Amino acid sequence: MAMERTLVLVKPDAIQRGLIGEIVGRFERKGLKLVGMKMMSLDGAILREHYAHLADKPFFGSLSAFMQSNPVIAMCWEGLECVDAVRLLCGITKARAAESGSIRGDLAMSVSCNVVHASDSVENAQAEVKRFFKADEIYDYQKSEYVHVYAEDELI
Ligand code: IDP
Ligand code: MG
């Protein structure tokens, strides 16, 4: 078991629909710790890196335009094995088929406008946090509720 950090983006559709608080609240209530957060506009260069695995897809152009259509909220969340935990909270890509109870399952209907991005592996999470945050934009602090969120032997 390891404390991990992962990148979450609140996507442009969620900003337009007034879902920032709802989405942030779900990660907070889960017991995750917010260690970085900012609003930012994405440009083509960062999106080409971020979505490099989709560069050959026919929808890449519209995905890139969608992600630049208004600012996003970038967040870095920390928790025990949180990369997988956050993916589960978000639900699968095709929001209308995502499990009820998940963020996409409860809040979205689209494949592309699916309200959130979350890193899909520990390795990608490390690269993505670096891509979106400077080192001094990530904050180390004690979260007093950790003694209630985790058992003692999980915090070692
Ligand atoms: P993920 O966000 O669930 O990790 P990825 O396959 O990494 O899914 O795709 C990144 C994003 O690209 C998706 O969240 C979605 O916004 C968009 N996307 C993925 N597949 C499609 C598609 O078939 N049509 C349109 N947009 C897509
Ligand atoms: Mg992905």
Side-chain angles (χ1 to χ4, degrees), residues 32-151:
L32 296 167
K33 176 172 151 185
L34 185 63
V35 296
M37 183 184 220
K38 62 179 174 180
M39 183 174 253
M40 61 193 292
S41 292
L42 305 182
D43 61 18
I46 198 168
L47 286 164
R48 273 191 295 280
E49 268 187 45
H50 184 62
Y51 285 137
H53 62 297
L54 301 173
D56 297 337
K57 302 281 186 194
F59 59 82
F60 181 78
S62 53
L63 174 62
S64 182
F66 161 61
M67 292 297 290
Q68 294 179 73
S69 61
N70 57 245
V72 301
I73 305 289
M75 302 183 284
C76 181
W77 289 94
E78 183 184 281
L80 199 58
E81 300 179 330
C82 82
V83 174
D84 285 350
V86 164
R87 287 286 288 191
L88 280 175
L89 279 179
C90 289
I92 63 167
T93 312
K94 185 180 176 182
R96 57 186 173 273
E99 201 174 352
S100 179
S102 67
I103 290 169
R104 287 167 170 171
D106 287 353
L107 302 176
M109 282 296 288
S110 168
V111 174
S112 48
C113 301
N114 54 9
V115 297
V116 277
H117 164 83
S119 308
D120 64 3
S121 68
V122 173
E123 195 186 9
N124 284 341
Q126 283 168 355
E128 291 181 359
V129 169
K130 266 197 192 149
R131 181 173 302 137
F132 284 84
F133 288 93
K134 300 187 189 93
D136 66 2
E137 292 173 330
I138 299 292
Y139 295 86
D140 263 320
Y141 63 97
Q142 297 293 319
K143 196 148 196 274
S144 59
E145 72 166 26
Y146 261 25
V147 294
H148 306 291
V149 171
Y150 297 107

